[in-house]
Amino acid sequence: MSTRGLFPDLVTIIFANTCIALYFVMVTYGIELFLVRKIRVWIYIAPMVVLVLSFFYFTYVSPDVSVRIIIISTLAFLFSAIGAYRVHVNSPEIINGRNNLVVLALFVQAGYMLFRIFYTLLLEMGIRDFMSSSSVQAFTFMMLIGCNILIFLSLIIFNSQKVELELQEAITEIKTLEGILPLCMHCKQIRDDKGYWNQLEAYISKHTEAQFSHSICDKCLEEHYPELKSD
């Protein structure tokens, strides 16, 4: 049952489609954050502002369902393609490899949206009511549900790969403090695996989360600062 006759267009068209568009934007934004990239927020805000304004125009000033379909499909295509490209290019920096499942899911979604744009342009311009449009438009919702399930599953796997790599790196760091450490018998510096000598504090701070704060023991206080010991 359609809600177009029960609720105003502001809710069923403007608000509903803004939420759908926001989903595509936020998925790509989240991928950028996950990949630890420098994000230009205006790249995400500007398209949303344009979409909302254009939806107001093509809903109240010059009503056109086909144009609204093309607008939201274009935004979905662009952000899905950007997300897929970012994962394909930058994922090796995060997991020392590529998560092809994320790329595949996003590219399938982007490809379908591109098909929907051309299908609407060539065969369905001038739609008066979205609810009476062809089965292709109705299939879009089923397609998005399937793609979203695949995208979220693949992102969970992607996150697991990142956590696993970080754990392996942490274990590697811990292992650097195992075994025999070459320590100078006079100055107490430690020789690293590259042959360089490091201060004890610097070496431990580099390979662990430990931090040092300097003090003085009773023996050294008595030997070097006897006047303070007597006080």
Side-chain angles (χ1 to χ4, degrees):
M1 178 179 176
S2 172
T3 59
R4 293 288 167 89
L6 301 177
F7 299 100
D9 290 343
L10 182 64
V11 175
T12 60
I13 298 178
I14 308 297
F15 179 74
N17 282 281
T18 299
C19 289
I20 294 172
L22 189 61
Y23 157 75
F24 293 105
V25 171
M26 293 307 295
V27 167
T28 303
Y29 182 79
I31 289 173
E32 296 267 27
L33 287 177
F34 184 79
L35 295 173
V36 196
R37 288 182 51 81
K38 183 178 180 181
I39 299 176
R40 298 181 178 88
V41 179
W42 66 268
I43 294 179
Y44 296 88
I45 296 177
M48 288 301 302
V49 172
V50 172
L51 179 135
V52 172
L53 293 177
S54 61
F55 262 73
F56 267 102
Y57 180 84
F58 289 109
T59 299
Y60 296 108
V61 179
S62 179
D64 195 320
V65 176
S66 299
V67 175
R68 294 202 302 262
I69 290 174
I70 293 171
I71 291 171
I72 195 168
S73 297
T74 301
L75 181 139
F77 163 73
L78 289 175
F79 280 98
S80 298
I82 291 172
Y85 174 76
R86 294 300 189 203
V87 173
H88 178 71
V89 173
N90 299 110
S91 59
E93 302 171 6
I94 302 297
I95 61 173
N96 289 338
R98 285 192 171 88
N99 188 311
N100 293 323
L101 188 58
V102 179
V103 177
L104 175 64
L106 289 168
F107 265 129
V108 168
Q109 184 169 266
Y112 180 80
M113 287 301 168
L114 186 62
F115 162 77
R116 190 187 187 204
I117 293 169
F118 284 103
Y119 180 87
T120 305
L121 279 171
L122 298 175
L123 300 175
E124 284 204 313
M125 286 303 294
I127 299 175
R128 296 182 178 226
D129 184 2
F130 181 78
M131 298 304 168
S132 62
S133 59
S134 70
S135 57
V136 171
Q137 305 299 349
F139 178 73
T140 298
F141 293 100
M142 298 300 296
M143 182 67 179
L144 287 179
I145 291 173
C147 284
N148 291 338
I149 292 173
L150 185 59
I151 288 170
F152 282 115
L153 286 176
S154 58
L155 288 175
I156 290 172
I157 295 172
F158 196 14
N159 184 66
S160 299
Q161 291 174 313
K162 181 181 179 182
V163 172
E164 182 180 358
L165 180 63
E166 290 174 346
L167 179 60
Q168 290 175 349
E169 291 176 347
I171 292 173
T172 301
E173 286 292 325
I174 293 173
K175 286 183 176 180
T176 59
L177 293 180
E178 294 182 349
I180 299 175
L181 297 176
L183 182 68
C184 177
M185 62 184 296
H186 293 287
C187 67
K188 307 304 180 185
Q189 292 193 89
I190 296 178
R191 189 179 68 219
D192 59 25
D193 53 358
K194 295 181 180 179
Y196 295 103
W197 290 93
N198 303 268
Q199 287 188 341
L200 178 65
E201 299 96 322
Y203 185 88
I204 294 178
S205 295
K206 180 179 179 181
H207 293 86
T208 70
E209 295 296 324
Q211 298 294 325
F212 287 88
S213 62
H214 290 86
S215 183
I216 188 169
C217 68
D218 293 339
K219 182 179 179 181
C220 290
L221 180 64
E222 184 176 358
E223 179 179 349
H224 297 285
Y225 304 99
E227 68 279 5
L228 296 179
K229 182 69 175 178
S230 60
D231 294 338

